[in-house]
Amino acid sequence: MSKAAIYIRVSTQDQVENYSIEVQRERLEAYCKAKGMDIYNVYIDGGYSGASMERPDLKRLLSNLKDIDAVVVYKLDRLSRSQRDTLELIEEHFLKNNVDFISMTETIDTSTPFGKAMIGILSVFAQLERETIAERMRMGHIKRAENGLRGMGGDYDPAGYIRVNGQLETNEEEATHIRRAFDLYEQLHSITKVQEILKREGFPVWRFRRYRDILENPLYIGKVKFSGKLYKGKHDPIVSERQFTRVQTLLQRHKGNNAHKAKMSLLTGMLRCDHCGESFVSYSTGISKKNKRPYYYYICRSRRFPSEYEIKCQNKIWSRKKLESLIIQELHNLSFEKTKSASPVKNKVNFEKLIKELDRKMERLINLYASNTKISSQMLESQIENLNVEKEKLIAEQSSSSETDELVPENMIELINTNFDDLEFSYKQSIVQKLVKEIHINELDVTIDWRF
C-alpha cells in the first residue's frame, strides 16, 4: 500500500472560502481511503500565506519525502499561490524523490502525462489570483496611509497613544515618557544610560529594544509609514521633526554590534543565574585605544540591563572563552558508562504528538473565529502567530534531535573526545544542547544539569 502525506494550508481569509482545516482533512482522508492509500502523516500550516515557502510544516514535509510515495492536497493553491514555487516544489522536490503529487479538487495526478501538463496551466491562474489579491490589499493600505491612518499593526495601542474609534489619541502619561527619552538620548547617546536616568526619575522602564523602536519611529512626528514612504498622519505628534532628525543621525552613529556575535555564543539560552534566576546573555566590548580587540563575555541579564530591574544582580561576569572551555572540558570528561549509569534515561520527547496538539489548538481557534464575530481578526492572527512560533521551535528541536540521535551515546562521546574543536559551530551547538539541559552560574561555581 502506497504512503500518502496530506498537506493542509489555511489562512484566516480562507475560512470564509470553505477551506477550513477540518473540511480539508475530512475530504483528503476520505480520498486517500477511497484510493487505497495509507496516510503517513498530516501536515498543517495554519495562518500562512501561499505566497511564501517559509512554512514550518511544508519544510517538515520536504524533509520526510524519502518516507512517502505521494503528497495529496485539497486544491493546488493550498500548496502555493506562486507559479514558480509550485513548479519548484513539484519538479525539484516531489518528482526528483519519486513522490507523486495529487490535487484532489482539480483531479491532478503527476503520475500521468496529462497531470504534469495541467500543473503548469493551473499554477499560472493561482499566481494571478494571488497577485490580484495582493494588489487590492496594497491599494487599500496606501489609501489608508494617504488618509493619515496608521497601518493595521495588530490589536494593541502604540506607546504614547490610545485608539479611540479607529483614531490615535495622545496618551499624555506615556507621551511625557517618550519626550523625556528623546531628550535624554540627545544628551547621552546611549539607550542604556537613558534607561538609568528614567528609572531614577520614577518612569516605568521599558526594554532596550522598545526604546530603540520608538526613537526611530516616524509615528512620533505625526506621520505614518507604508512601503518606505511617509504620509502625514491624522494624529498629533509627540516630538518635533527637527529633534527626530537629530536623533536619527545619532542612532546611525551608535549602531549596536552585538546581535550577530551573540549567535556565535555556544552556551546562549542555557545559562541561568543562581542569584536572581535571570538568564545570562552574551556581549562584547568595542575596540578602543585601551582595547585593541573586542573581548567577549557572558553576563547576567539583570546586571547587563540593571535599569529594567528593581535590583542590579552582582553575579560574576564570565569570559566567554573561559566558560565555554570549562563546559567543553566537562564534555570531554564524559564517558559512555557515565551517561548510562548516572540516572535513568528520560522518555524520548514525542515531537509528533506535541506538533499535532498545536495543530488541534489552531484548528479550534480558527473554527471559533468563524463562528464568533466578536473575535477580531487581529486577535486571531496574534494567537495563530504565537502557536506557529511554538510549532517552529518544536520542529527545530525535532530536527536537531534527529540530527544527533544516531550519535547518542557512544558515537557522540567519541566525537567529543576526538575532533570536537574541528566541528562546524552549528554542529557543536547541537551536540551541547543535546547533552546539556541548563547551566547554573553562582559566582565561580558552575553546575551543569545534564539531559541524561
Side-chain angles (χ1 to χ4, degrees), residues 115-225:
K116 290 179 182 177
M118 284 299 295
I119 288 294
I121 297 171
L122 290 173
S123 62
V124 170
F125 287 101
Q127 180 170 341
L128 175 62
E129 182 182 0
R130 177 182 67 83
E131 291 177 352
T132 301
I133 293 171
E135 182 62 21
R136 286 175 186 163
M137 291 181 66
R138 177 180 171 80
M139 294 305 294
H141 281 298
I142 291 175
K143 190 66 177 175
R144 184 176 175 83
E146 287 176 343
N147 290 334
L149 298 173
R150 173 174 165 263
M152 304 299 285
D155 193 24
Y156 69 95
D157 296 331
Y161 295 98
I162 54 174
R163 290 174 301 163
V164 179
N165 298 324
Q167 302 281 346
L168 291 181
E169 293 190 5
T170 306
N171 178 333
E172 282 303 331
E173 185 177 343
E174 289 188 349
T176 302
H177 185 159
I178 290 168
R179 290 189 195 101
R180 185 61 177 146
F182 270 89
D183 291 341
L184 288 172
Y185 187 79
E186 271 202 279
Q187 299 170 31
L188 304 171
H189 306 175
S190 164
I191 293 176
T192 302
K193 291 178 181 177
V194 168
Q195 289 175 307
E196 291 173 3
I197 301 296
L198 288 172
K199 183 178 181 179
R200 288 205 296 267
E201 293 179 353
F203 287 96
V205 178
W206 299 325
R207 289 272 176 148
F208 182 98
R209 182 70 249 179
R210 191 178 187 189
Y211 283 108
R212 178 86 193 191
D213 291 341
I214 287 171
L215 290 172
E216 58 189 14
N217 192 342
L219 184 76
Y220 299 104
I221 55 173
K223 295 187 178 181
V224 292
K225 187 175 183 180

Side-chain angles (χ1 to χ4, degrees), residues 325-377:
S325 296
L326 188 152
I327 300 303
I328 291 170
Q329 184 57 49
E330 289 299 313
L331 291 174
H332 283 303
N333 293 338
L334 287 175
S335 70
F336 176 45
E337 291 304 317
K338 284 183 182 179
T339 60
K340 234 172 45 167
S341 60
S343 62
V345 178
K346 295 180 181 178
N347 292 331
K348 189 175 179 181
V349 177
N350 189 337
F351 288 104
E352 286 295 334
K353 182 179 179 181
L354 294 174
I355 290 169
K356 286 179 180 178
E357 179 57 34
L358 287 178
D359 286 336
R360 283 193 288 270
K361 287 182 181 178
M362 206 177 301
E363 186 173 350
R364 289 195 294 269
L365 191 61
I366 293 175
N367 289 338
L368 184 63
Y369 168 72
S371 61
N372 189 344
T373 55
K374 292 182 180 180
I375 299 177
S376 68
S377 60

Side-chain angles (χ1 to χ4, degrees), residues 67-336:
D67 298 320
I68 59 180
D69 302 305
V71 174
V72 187
V73 299
Y74 181 68
K75 195 176 178 184
L76 185 62
D77 63 7
R78 299 301 89 199
L79 181 67
S80 175
R81 286 187 180 271
S82 163
Q83 178 188 10
R84 183 184 64 184
D85 291 347
T86 300
L87 295 177
E88 180 183 339
L89 285 167
I90 294 172
E91 294 179 357
E92 299 299 320
H93 293 279
F94 300 159
L95 298 184
K96 280 192 176 181
N97 286 280
N98 297 317
V99 175
D100 293 326
F101 172 72
I102 300 171
S103 174
M104 189 187 84
T105 307
E106 292 101 348
T107 61
I108 294 173
D109 186 343
T110 57
S111 63
T112 68
F114 181 75
K116 290 179 182 177
M118 284 299 295
I119 288 294
I121 297 171
L122 290 173
S123 62
V124 170
F125 287 101
Q127 180 170 341
L128 175 62
E129 182 182 0
R130 177 182 67 83
E131 291 177 352
T132 301
I133 293 171
E135 182 62 21
R136 286 175 186 163
M137 291 181 66
R138 177 180 171 80
M139 294 305 294
H141 281 298
I142 291 175
K143 190 66 177 175
R144 184 176 175 83
E146 287 176 343
N147 290 334
L149 298 173
R150 173 174 165 263
M152 304 299 285
D155 193 24
Y156 69 95
D157 296 331
Y161 295 98
I162 54 174
R163 290 174 301 163
V164 179
N165 298 324
Q167 302 281 346
L168 291 181
E169 293 190 5
T170 306
N171 178 333
E172 282 303 331
E173 185 177 343
E174 289 188 349
T176 302
H177 185 159
I178 290 168
R179 290 189 195 101
R180 185 61 177 146
F182 270 89
D183 291 341
L184 288 172
Y185 187 79
E186 271 202 279
Q187 299 170 31
L188 304 171
H189 306 175
S190 164
I191 293 176
T192 302
K193 291 178 181 177
V194 168
Q195 289 175 307
E196 291 173 3
I197 301 296
L198 288 172
K199 183 178 181 179
R200 288 205 296 267
E201 293 179 353
F203 287 96
V205 178
W206 299 325
R207 289 272 176 148
F208 182 98
R209 182 70 249 179
R210 191 178 187 189
Y211 283 108
R212 178 86 193 191
D213 291 341
I214 287 171
L215 290 172
E216 58 189 14
N217 192 342
L219 184 76
Y220 299 104
I221 55 173
K223 295 187 178 181
V224 292
K225 187 175 183 180
F226 178 73
S227 192
K229 291 185 178 181
L230 290 176
Y231 301 87
K232 181 174 174 53
K234 286 189 174 182
H235 60 285
D236 294 328
I238 288 177
V239 298
S240 69
E241 284 195 41
R242 293 180 65 182
Q243 183 180 35
F244 184 80
T245 302
R246 292 195 301 268
V247 167
Q248 301 320 295
T249 303
L250 292 172
L251 288 170
Q252 286 298 315
R253 289 180 191 166
H254 300 89
K255 286 186 176 179
N257 297 314
N258 286 329
H260 297 294
K261 294 169 186 173
K263 292 180 182 177
M264 296 302 291
S265 303
L266 189 65
L267 308 178
T268 295
M270 288 182 281
L271 299 171
R272 185 66 55 189
C273 175
D274 269 1
H275 282 207
C276 66
E278 267 291 346
S279 60
F280 268 58
V281 295
S282 175
Y283 85 105
S284 68
T285 61
I287 298 175
S288 63
K289 290 182 180 179
K290 184 179 179 181
N291 298 323
K292 302 300 181 184
R293 60 185 178 85
Y295 291 89
Y296 302 94
Y297 299 93
Y298 286 113
I299 182 174
C300 175
R301 196 180 192 287
S302 176
R303 184 167 184 173
R304 178 79 174 94
F305 303 106
S307 300
E308 298 177 13
Y309 299 86
E310 291 185 8
I311 301 174
K312 179 180 178 178
C313 183
Q314 296 297 331
N315 205 347
K316 175 181 169 58
I317 300 173
W318 275 84
S319 158
R320 194 165 89 183
K321 183 177 180 181
K322 286 184 179 179
L323 186 57
E324 290 181 358
S325 296
L326 188 152
I327 300 303
I328 291 170
Q329 184 57 49
E330 289 299 313
L331 291 174
H332 283 303
N333 293 338
L334 287 175
S335 70
F336 176 45

Side-chain angles (χ1 to χ4, degrees), residues 371-390:
S371 61
N372 189 344
T373 55
K374 292 182 180 180
I375 299 177
S376 68
S377 60
Q378 290 96 337
M379 186 182 298
L380 173 68
E381 288 170 6
S382 174
Q383 292 296 319
I384 289 291
E385 183 178 352
N386 291 338
L387 289 173
N388 277 322
V389 168
E390 192 175 344

Side-chain angles (χ1 to χ4, degrees), residues 7 43-45 48 52-65 89 93 392 395 398-399:
Y7 179 74
Y43 300 84
I44 301 171
D45 280 319
Y48 281 90
S52 168
M53 290 208 292
E54 290 300 313
R55 293 171 253 157
D57 254 25
L58 177 60
K59 290 181 179 179
R60 197 159 64 99
L61 168 63
L62 295 179
S63 69
N64 294 340
L65 289 179
L89 285 167
H93 293 279
E392 286 181 24
I395 291 173
Q398 182 184 35
S399 176

